[in-house]
Each structure stands twice: as structure tokens, then as C-alpha cells.
Amino acid sequence: MPEGSEQPQRPAREREPESGAGVRWLRIGAGALLMAAGTAYFLLPLEGLGADRPWLGWPLFVMCLTLVAALLLRHVRDVVLEKPQARSGLMISLLMCLAVLVFSSGYYALAQQPGQFVGLRTRVDALYFTVVTLATVGYGDITPSGQEARMVTVVQILYTFVFLTAAATALTRRLHTVVADRDRRPPPN
């Protein structure tokens, strides 16, 4: 570039926001993906991932959790580094919901093995148990009784402490940043 023709770089926080239509489509896409994942949770043959095929069920469970964790960490990093063009708030929310569905799927598949759970018979039971464990409420009507079920429950608790807590903290930070930026903008004429 010739001297003097360079445009000064504006700091990341001063860049223009994306168009409203782009954000709208992103939200619609994320909502559609969440609906598809929820529908898949209720329609996929998860019964076949239990005792019949542990060589398939366990690696699939670990792979899904690892993928969600890696994506969560990427978006948490984007929030910490204050990357303005990243849509981390939306993605973190979506990934947190996907983590719940992955654990619910694992619990439901595990419940197909006799002696692993007391009171967990349906997919709704598995979803309920996942949310109760996530919220640390522990009603006690569904309990892990087998060693594998207890280990997966411990993994969920640790996963929640590490990944979902970091994601929720980053999401809160992102929301504070968005609100603060909105408050600093001059009102439209």
C-alpha cells in the first residue's frame, strides 16, 4: 500500500456489529439445531448402546462429551479474549444444552442394563435425572445403584464443575459486556 493510504485499525470493541438479519439467521439456525438434537434424543435407538454394544456406546459418549467440551472452551476463550465478532453467547447456551442431552443419552443407555439405576425407565427420567444432578438438587427418586452409573454421575458432576461452570461464567461475562456496550452507545436520532 502506498504511504498514507492505510486506514487506521480500530480497536476490536469499536468495530461495527453484524447486521440484524445475520444475527437473526444465526439464532434461527441455533434454535433449529437445538430442536434437531432434542428430537434426535427422543427418536434415536439409544437402547442399543447399553450392555449390547459397550464398544460403541462408551466411545461415542466420550467423543460427544469431548467435542462439546472443546467447543465450549473455544467459545469461553473467545469471551475472555473479547472477540467481538464471535457469537459465543449463543453458542455457549447451545453447547450447554447439548451437554445435558449427551449425559441424558448416556444415562438412558446405561439404564437399559439391570441394576444400574433405580427409578430411571424413560428418556424423560434420564433428562430429569441429568438436570437434577446438574442443579445439585438430588431429589432421590432416581438413584444410580450400579458402579458404571455412579461413575458416569461423578463424571457429570466434575464436567459440570469444570466445563459448564466456566461456560456459564463466560456467558455471564459476555452478557455484561453486551449490556455495557449497549449502554455506552449514543441514542439513535
Short mmCIF file of all heavy atoms in Angstrom, two decimals, residues 124-178:
data_model
loop_
_atom_site.label_atom_id
_atom_site.label_comp_id
_atom_site.label_asym_id
_atom_site.label_seq_id
_atom_site.Cartn_x
_atom_site.Cartn_y
_atom_site.Cartn_z
N VAL A 124 -37.41 -39.30 29.50
CA VAL A 124 -37.75 -38.15 30.33
C VAL A 124 -37.14 -38.33 31.73
O VAL A 124 -36.62 -37.37 32.30
CB VAL A 124 -39.28 -37.95 30.40
CG1 VAL A 124 -39.65 -36.85 31.39
CG2 VAL A 124 -39.83 -37.62 29.02
N ASP A 125 -37.15 -39.55 32.24
CA ASP A 125 -36.49 -39.83 33.53
C ASP A 125 -35.01 -39.49 33.44
O ASP A 125 -34.44 -38.90 34.36
CB ASP A 125 -36.63 -41.31 33.92
CG ASP A 125 -38.03 -41.72 34.32
OD1 ASP A 125 -38.86 -40.83 34.63
OD2 ASP A 125 -38.29 -42.94 34.32
N ALA A 126 -34.37 -39.87 32.34
CA ALA A 126 -32.93 -39.61 32.16
C ALA A 126 -32.65 -38.11 32.07
O ALA A 126 -31.70 -37.60 32.67
CB ALA A 126 -32.41 -40.32 30.91
N LEU A 127 -33.50 -37.39 31.35
CA LEU A 127 -33.36 -35.94 31.24
C LEU A 127 -33.57 -35.29 32.61
O LEU A 127 -32.81 -34.41 33.02
CB LEU A 127 -34.35 -35.41 30.21
CG LEU A 127 -34.26 -33.95 29.83
CD1 LEU A 127 -32.88 -33.62 29.26
CD2 LEU A 127 -35.35 -33.61 28.82
N TYR A 128 -34.58 -35.74 33.31
CA TYR A 128 -34.88 -35.25 34.65
C TYR A 128 -33.69 -35.49 35.59
O TYR A 128 -33.24 -34.59 36.30
CB TYR A 128 -36.14 -35.96 35.17
CG TYR A 128 -36.41 -35.84 36.64
CD1 TYR A 128 -37.00 -34.70 37.17
CD2 TYR A 128 -36.10 -36.89 37.50
CE1 TYR A 128 -37.27 -34.61 38.53
CE2 TYR A 128 -36.36 -36.80 38.85
CZ TYR A 128 -36.94 -35.66 39.36
OH TYR A 128 -37.20 -35.57 40.70
N PHE A 129 -33.14 -36.70 35.57
CA PHE A 129 -32.01 -37.03 36.44
C PHE A 129 -30.79 -36.17 36.09
O PHE A 129 -30.07 -35.70 36.98
CB PHE A 129 -31.66 -38.52 36.32
CG PHE A 129 -30.49 -38.92 37.18
CD1 PHE A 129 -30.63 -39.05 38.55
CD2 PHE A 129 -29.25 -39.15 36.61
CE1 PHE A 129 -29.55 -39.40 39.35
CE2 PHE A 129 -28.16 -39.50 37.40
CZ PHE A 129 -28.32 -39.63 38.78
N THR A 130 -30.56 -35.93 34.80
CA THR A 130 -29.43 -35.10 34.38
C THR A 130 -29.57 -33.68 34.90
O THR A 130 -28.62 -33.11 35.44
CB THR A 130 -29.33 -35.08 32.83
OG1 THR A 130 -29.21 -36.41 32.36
CG2 THR A 130 -28.13 -34.27 32.37
N VAL A 131 -30.75 -33.10 34.75
CA VAL A 131 -30.97 -31.72 35.20
C VAL A 131 -30.90 -31.64 36.72
O VAL A 131 -30.33 -30.69 37.27
CB VAL A 131 -32.30 -31.18 34.64
CG1 VAL A 131 -32.64 -29.82 35.24
CG2 VAL A 131 -32.23 -31.08 33.13
N VAL A 132 -31.45 -32.62 37.42
CA VAL A 132 -31.40 -32.64 38.89
C VAL A 132 -29.95 -32.75 39.36
O VAL A 132 -29.54 -32.06 40.29
CB VAL A 132 -32.28 -33.78 39.45
CG1 VAL A 132 -32.00 -34.03 40.92
CG2 VAL A 132 -33.75 -33.45 39.25
N THR A 133 -29.16 -33.57 38.70
CA THR A 133 -27.75 -33.70 39.06
C THR A 133 -27.00 -32.41 38.73
O THR A 133 -26.18 -31.95 39.53
CB THR A 133 -27.11 -34.89 38.30
OG1 THR A 133 -27.84 -36.08 38.62
CG2 THR A 133 -25.66 -35.08 38.69
N LEU A 134 -27.29 -31.82 37.59
CA LEU A 134 -26.66 -30.57 37.18
C LEU A 134 -26.97 -29.46 38.19
O LEU A 134 -26.09 -28.67 38.55
CB LEU A 134 -27.14 -30.18 35.79
CG LEU A 134 -26.68 -28.85 35.23
CD1 LEU A 134 -25.19 -28.92 34.89
CD2 LEU A 134 -27.47 -28.50 33.99
N ALA A 135 -28.19 -29.42 38.64
CA ALA A 135 -28.61 -28.38 39.58
C ALA A 135 -28.25 -28.71 41.02
O ALA A 135 -28.50 -27.91 41.91
CB ALA A 135 -30.12 -28.17 39.47
N THR A 136 -27.66 -29.87 41.25
CA THR A 136 -27.28 -30.37 42.58
C THR A 136 -28.45 -30.38 43.55
O THR A 136 -28.28 -30.17 44.74
CB THR A 136 -26.09 -29.58 43.19
OG1 THR A 136 -26.50 -28.24 43.47
CG2 THR A 136 -24.89 -29.59 42.28
N VAL A 137 -29.65 -30.67 43.03
CA VAL A 137 -30.83 -30.72 43.88
C VAL A 137 -30.94 -32.10 44.54
O VAL A 137 -31.14 -32.20 45.74
CB VAL A 137 -32.10 -30.40 43.07
CG1 VAL A 137 -33.34 -30.50 43.93
CG2 VAL A 137 -32.00 -29.02 42.46
N GLY A 138 -30.81 -33.15 43.76
CA GLY A 138 -30.82 -34.50 44.29
C GLY A 138 -32.09 -34.91 45.00
O GLY A 138 -32.11 -35.08 46.21
N TYR A 139 -33.18 -35.06 44.26
CA TYR A 139 -34.45 -35.43 44.87
C TYR A 139 -34.44 -36.82 45.47
O TYR A 139 -35.15 -37.10 46.42
CB TYR A 139 -35.57 -35.35 43.83
CG TYR A 139 -35.89 -33.93 43.43
CD1 TYR A 139 -35.84 -33.55 42.11
CD2 TYR A 139 -36.26 -32.99 44.37
CE1 TYR A 139 -36.13 -32.26 41.72
CE2 TYR A 139 -36.56 -31.69 44.00
CZ TYR A 139 -36.49 -31.33 42.68
OH TYR A 139 -36.78 -30.05 42.31
N GLY A 140 -33.68 -37.74 44.90
CA GLY A 140 -33.57 -39.08 45.47
C GLY A 140 -34.53 -40.09 44.90
O GLY A 140 -34.46 -41.26 45.27
N ASP A 141 -35.45 -39.68 44.01
CA ASP A 141 -36.38 -40.66 43.44
C ASP A 141 -35.73 -41.50 42.35
O ASP A 141 -36.18 -42.60 42.07
CB ASP A 141 -37.64 -39.98 42.92
CG ASP A 141 -37.35 -38.83 41.95
OD1 ASP A 141 -36.21 -38.34 41.96
OD2 ASP A 141 -38.26 -38.44 41.20
N ILE A 142 -34.64 -41.01 41.77
CA ILE A 142 -33.84 -41.78 40.82
C ILE A 142 -32.43 -41.82 41.39
O ILE A 142 -31.86 -40.77 41.70
CB ILE A 142 -33.83 -41.15 39.42
CG1 ILE A 142 -35.24 -41.09 38.84
CG2 ILE A 142 -32.89 -41.92 38.49
CD1 ILE A 142 -35.34 -40.37 37.51
N THR A 143 -31.90 -43.01 41.54
CA THR A 143 -30.55 -43.12 42.10
C THR A 143 -29.70 -44.07 41.27
O THR A 143 -30.18 -45.11 40.82
CB THR A 143 -30.59 -43.63 43.56
OG1 THR A 143 -31.31 -44.87 43.59
CG2 THR A 143 -31.26 -42.64 44.48
N PRO A 144 -28.43 -43.71 41.09
CA PRO A 144 -27.52 -44.64 40.43
C PRO A 144 -27.12 -45.72 41.43
O PRO A 144 -26.61 -45.42 42.51
CB PRO A 144 -26.33 -43.76 40.04
CG PRO A 144 -26.38 -42.60 40.97
CD PRO A 144 -27.80 -42.43 41.39
N SER A 145 -27.37 -46.97 41.08
CA SER A 145 -27.04 -48.05 42.02
C SER A 145 -25.87 -48.90 41.54
O SER A 145 -25.17 -49.49 42.35
CB SER A 145 -28.27 -48.93 42.27
OG SER A 145 -28.80 -49.39 41.06
N GLY A 146 -25.64 -48.95 40.24
CA GLY A 146 -24.52 -49.72 39.70
C GLY A 146 -23.25 -48.89 39.65
O GLY A 146 -23.29 -47.66 39.70
N GLN A 147 -22.13 -49.57 39.57
CA GLN A 147 -20.84 -48.88 39.57
C GLN A 147 -20.65 -47.99 38.33
O GLN A 147 -20.14 -46.88 38.44
CB GLN A 147 -19.69 -49.89 39.66
CG GLN A 147 -19.68 -50.67 40.98
CD GLN A 147 -19.63 -49.75 42.19
OE1 GLN A 147 -18.71 -48.96 42.33
NE2 GLN A 147 -20.64 -49.82 43.04
N GLU A 148 -21.08 -48.48 37.17
CA GLU A 148 -20.95 -47.66 35.95
C GLU A 148 -21.83 -46.42 36.05
O GLU A 148 -21.40 -45.31 35.69
CB GLU A 148 -21.35 -48.47 34.71
CG GLU A 148 -20.34 -49.53 34.33
CD GLU A 148 -20.85 -50.35 33.17
OE1 GLU A 148 -20.78 -49.84 32.04
OE2 GLU A 148 -21.32 -51.48 33.40
N ALA A 149 -23.04 -46.57 36.53
CA ALA A 149 -23.96 -45.42 36.67
C ALA A 149 -23.39 -44.40 37.65
O ALA A 149 -23.47 -43.19 37.42
CB ALA A 149 -25.33 -45.90 37.13
N ARG A 150 -22.81 -44.87 38.72
CA ARG A 150 -22.21 -43.95 39.69
C ARG A 150 -21.00 -43.23 39.10
O ARG A 150 -20.79 -42.04 39.36
CB ARG A 150 -21.82 -44.70 40.96
CG ARG A 150 -23.03 -45.13 41.75
CD ARG A 150 -22.69 -45.89 42.99
NE ARG A 150 -23.92 -46.21 43.71
CZ ARG A 150 -23.96 -46.88 44.82
NH1 ARG A 150 -22.84 -47.34 45.37
NH2 ARG A 150 -25.11 -47.13 45.41
N MET A 151 -20.21 -43.94 38.31
CA MET A 151 -19.05 -43.30 37.69
C MET A 151 -19.48 -42.22 36.68
O MET A 151 -18.89 -41.13 36.65
CB MET A 151 -18.16 -44.33 36.99
CG MET A 151 -17.30 -45.15 37.94
SD MET A 151 -16.29 -44.13 39.05
CE MET A 151 -15.28 -43.24 37.89
N VAL A 152 -20.49 -42.50 35.89
CA VAL A 152 -20.98 -41.51 34.94
C VAL A 152 -21.55 -40.30 35.68
O VAL A 152 -21.35 -39.16 35.27
CB VAL A 152 -22.01 -42.12 33.96
CG1 VAL A 152 -22.64 -41.04 33.08
CG2 VAL A 152 -21.36 -43.18 33.09
N THR A 153 -22.21 -40.53 36.79
CA THR A 153 -22.74 -39.43 37.60
C THR A 153 -21.60 -38.58 38.15
O THR A 153 -21.66 -37.34 38.13
CB THR A 153 -23.62 -39.96 38.74
OG1 THR A 153 -24.66 -40.79 38.17
CG2 THR A 153 -24.25 -38.83 39.53
N VAL A 154 -20.54 -39.22 38.62
CA VAL A 154 -19.36 -38.48 39.09
C VAL A 154 -18.74 -37.69 37.94
O VAL A 154 -18.36 -36.52 38.11
CB VAL A 154 -18.33 -39.43 39.74
CG1 VAL A 154 -17.00 -38.74 39.98
CG2 VAL A 154 -18.87 -40.00 41.05
N VAL A 155 -18.65 -38.31 36.77
CA VAL A 155 -18.11 -37.61 35.60
C VAL A 155 -18.97 -36.39 35.28
O VAL A 155 -18.45 -35.31 34.99
CB VAL A 155 -18.01 -38.55 34.38
CG1 VAL A 155 -17.76 -37.78 33.09
CG2 VAL A 155 -16.91 -39.58 34.60
N GLN A 156 -20.30 -36.53 35.36
CA GLN A 156 -21.16 -35.38 35.09
C GLN A 156 -20.92 -34.27 36.11
O GLN A 156 -20.86 -33.10 35.74
CB GLN A 156 -22.65 -35.75 35.10
CG GLN A 156 -23.48 -34.52 34.75
CD GLN A 156 -24.96 -34.68 34.98
OE1 GLN A 156 -25.47 -35.77 35.23
NE2 GLN A 156 -25.69 -33.57 34.88
N ILE A 157 -20.77 -34.61 37.36
CA ILE A 157 -20.54 -33.59 38.39
C ILE A 157 -19.22 -32.87 38.12
O ILE A 157 -19.15 -31.64 38.16
CB ILE A 157 -20.58 -34.23 39.79
CG1 ILE A 157 -22.01 -34.69 40.10
CG2 ILE A 157 -20.07 -33.25 40.85
CD1 ILE A 157 -22.13 -35.60 41.31
N LEU A 158 -18.17 -33.61 37.81
CA LEU A 158 -16.87 -32.99 37.50
C LEU A 158 -16.94 -32.17 36.22
O LEU A 158 -16.39 -31.07 36.15
CB LEU A 158 -15.78 -34.06 37.41
CG LEU A 158 -15.47 -34.80 38.71
CD1 LEU A 158 -14.49 -35.94 38.46
CD2 LEU A 158 -14.95 -33.85 39.75
N TYR A 159 -17.60 -32.69 35.22
CA TYR A 159 -17.78 -31.99 33.94
C TYR A 159 -18.51 -30.67 34.18
O TYR A 159 -18.16 -29.64 33.62
CB TYR A 159 -18.58 -32.89 33.00
CG TYR A 159 -18.60 -32.47 31.55
CD1 TYR A 159 -17.65 -32.97 30.66
CD2 TYR A 159 -19.58 -31.62 31.05
CE1 TYR A 159 -17.68 -32.63 29.32
CE2 TYR A 159 -19.61 -31.27 29.71
CZ TYR A 159 -18.66 -31.78 28.85
OH TYR A 159 -18.69 -31.43 27.52
N THR A 160 -19.52 -30.71 35.03
CA THR A 160 -20.26 -29.50 35.37
C THR A 160 -19.36 -28.49 36.06
O THR A 160 -19.37 -27.31 35.72
CB THR A 160 -21.47 -29.84 36.26
OG1 THR A 160 -22.33 -30.73 35.56
CG2 THR A 160 -22.23 -28.59 36.67
N PHE A 161 -18.58 -28.95 37.04
CA PHE A 161 -17.69 -28.04 37.76
C PHE A 161 -16.69 -27.38 36.82
O PHE A 161 -16.45 -26.19 36.92
CB PHE A 161 -16.91 -28.78 38.86
CG PHE A 161 -17.70 -29.05 40.10
CD1 PHE A 161 -17.41 -30.16 40.87
CD2 PHE A 161 -18.71 -28.19 40.52
CE1 PHE A 161 -18.12 -30.41 42.04
CE2 PHE A 161 -19.43 -28.44 41.68
CZ PHE A 161 -19.14 -29.56 42.44
N VAL A 162 -16.12 -28.15 35.93
CA VAL A 162 -15.06 -27.62 35.07
C VAL A 162 -15.62 -26.88 33.86
O VAL A 162 -15.37 -25.69 33.69
CB VAL A 162 -14.12 -28.76 34.61
CG1 VAL A 162 -13.08 -28.24 33.63
CG2 VAL A 162 -13.42 -29.38 35.82
N PHE A 163 -16.37 -27.57 33.03
CA PHE A 163 -16.75 -27.01 31.74
C PHE A 163 -18.00 -26.14 31.80
O PHE A 163 -18.01 -25.03 31.28
CB PHE A 163 -16.93 -28.13 30.71
CG PHE A 163 -15.66 -28.88 30.46
CD1 PHE A 163 -15.49 -30.17 30.93
CD2 PHE A 163 -14.62 -28.29 29.76
CE1 PHE A 163 -14.31 -30.85 30.72
CE2 PHE A 163 -13.43 -28.98 29.54
CZ PHE A 163 -13.28 -30.26 30.03
N LEU A 164 -19.06 -26.64 32.41
CA LEU A 164 -20.29 -25.87 32.40
C LEU A 164 -20.22 -24.65 33.30
O LEU A 164 -20.81 -23.61 32.99
CB LEU A 164 -21.48 -26.76 32.76
CG LEU A 164 -21.73 -27.92 31.78
CD1 LEU A 164 -23.01 -28.67 32.14
CD2 LEU A 164 -21.79 -27.45 30.34
N THR A 165 -19.46 -24.73 34.39
CA THR A 165 -19.28 -23.55 35.24
C THR A 165 -18.47 -22.50 34.51
O THR A 165 -18.80 -21.30 34.54
CB THR A 165 -18.61 -23.94 36.57
OG1 THR A 165 -19.44 -24.90 37.24
CG2 THR A 165 -18.42 -22.73 37.47
N ALA A 166 -17.40 -22.91 33.83
CA ALA A 166 -16.61 -21.96 33.03
C ALA A 166 -17.47 -21.36 31.93
O ALA A 166 -17.41 -20.15 31.66
CB ALA A 166 -15.40 -22.66 32.42
N ALA A 167 -18.30 -22.18 31.31
CA ALA A 167 -19.17 -21.68 30.23
C ALA A 167 -20.20 -20.70 30.78
O ALA A 167 -20.45 -19.64 30.18
CB ALA A 167 -19.87 -22.85 29.54
N ALA A 168 -20.81 -21.01 31.91
CA ALA A 168 -21.79 -20.11 32.50
C ALA A 168 -21.15 -18.80 32.92
O ALA A 168 -21.73 -17.72 32.74
CB ALA A 168 -22.47 -20.78 33.69
N THR A 169 -19.93 -18.86 33.46
CA THR A 169 -19.21 -17.65 33.85
C THR A 169 -18.90 -16.80 32.62
O THR A 169 -19.08 -15.58 32.62
CB THR A 169 -17.92 -18.02 34.59
OG1 THR A 169 -18.26 -18.81 35.73
CG2 THR A 169 -17.15 -16.79 35.03
N ALA A 170 -18.45 -17.44 31.54
CA ALA A 170 -18.15 -16.71 30.31
C ALA A 170 -19.41 -16.12 29.71
O ALA A 170 -19.41 -14.99 29.21
CB ALA A 170 -17.46 -17.64 29.30
N LEU A 171 -20.50 -16.87 29.77
CA LEU A 171 -21.77 -16.37 29.24
C LEU A 171 -22.22 -15.13 30.02
O LEU A 171 -22.64 -14.13 29.43
CB LEU A 171 -22.84 -17.46 29.32
CG LEU A 171 -24.21 -17.14 28.77
CD1 LEU A 171 -24.14 -16.76 27.30
CD2 LEU A 171 -25.13 -18.33 28.96
N THR A 172 -22.09 -15.18 31.33
CA THR A 172 -22.43 -14.02 32.16
C THR A 172 -21.54 -12.83 31.82
O THR A 172 -22.02 -11.71 31.68
CB THR A 172 -22.29 -14.38 33.65
OG1 THR A 172 -23.14 -15.49 33.93
CG2 THR A 172 -22.66 -13.22 34.54
N ARG A 173 -20.26 -13.09 31.65
CA ARG A 173 -19.33 -12.01 31.29
C ARG A 173 -19.69 -11.41 29.94
O ARG A 173 -19.68 -10.19 29.76
CB ARG A 173 -17.91 -12.57 31.26
CG ARG A 173 -16.85 -11.55 30.96
CD ARG A 173 -15.48 -12.16 31.05
NE ARG A 173 -14.47 -11.19 30.68
CZ ARG A 173 -13.19 -11.40 30.78
NH1 ARG A 173 -12.74 -12.55 31.27
NH2 ARG A 173 -12.33 -10.49 30.41
N ARG A 174 -20.03 -12.26 28.99
CA ARG A 174 -20.41 -11.79 27.66
C ARG A 174 -21.67 -10.93 27.73
O ARG A 174 -21.76 -9.89 27.10
CB ARG A 174 -20.61 -12.99 26.73
CG ARG A 174 -21.07 -12.61 25.35
CD ARG A 174 -19.95 -12.04 24.53
NE ARG A 174 -20.45 -11.71 23.21
CZ ARG A 174 -20.17 -10.60 22.56
NH1 ARG A 174 -19.34 -9.73 23.08
NH2 ARG A 174 -20.68 -10.37 21.40
N LEU A 175 -22.65 -11.37 28.50
CA LEU A 175 -23.89 -10.60 28.62
C LEU A 175 -23.63 -9.25 29.28
O LEU A 175 -24.20 -8.24 28.85
CB LEU A 175 -24.92 -11.40 29.42
CG LEU A 175 -25.49 -12.62 28.70
CD1 LEU A 175 -26.39 -13.42 29.63
CD2 LEU A 175 -26.24 -12.24 27.44
N HIS A 176 -22.77 -9.20 30.28
CA HIS A 176 -22.41 -7.93 30.91
C HIS A 176 -21.74 -7.00 29.90
O HIS A 176 -22.03 -5.79 29.87
CB HIS A 176 -21.48 -8.15 32.11
CG HIS A 176 -22.19 -8.60 33.34
ND1 HIS A 176 -22.77 -7.74 34.23
CD2 HIS A 176 -22.41 -9.85 33.82
CE1 HIS A 176 -23.32 -8.41 35.21
NE2 HIS A 176 -23.12 -9.70 34.99
N THR A 177 -20.87 -7.55 29.07
CA THR A 177 -20.18 -6.75 28.05
C THR A 177 -21.17 -6.20 27.03
O THR A 177 -21.10 -5.02 26.66
CB THR A 177 -19.11 -7.60 27.33
OG1 THR A 177 -18.19 -8.09 28.30
CG2 THR A 177 -18.38 -6.81 26.27
N VAL A 178 -22.09 -7.03 26.58
CA VAL A 178 -23.09 -6.59 25.59
C VAL A 178 -23.96 -5.48 26.18
O VAL A 178 -24.20 -4.46 25.53
CB VAL A 178 -23.95 -7.78 25.11
CG1 VAL A 178 -25.18 -7.31 24.35
CG2 VAL A 178 -23.12 -8.73 24.27
#
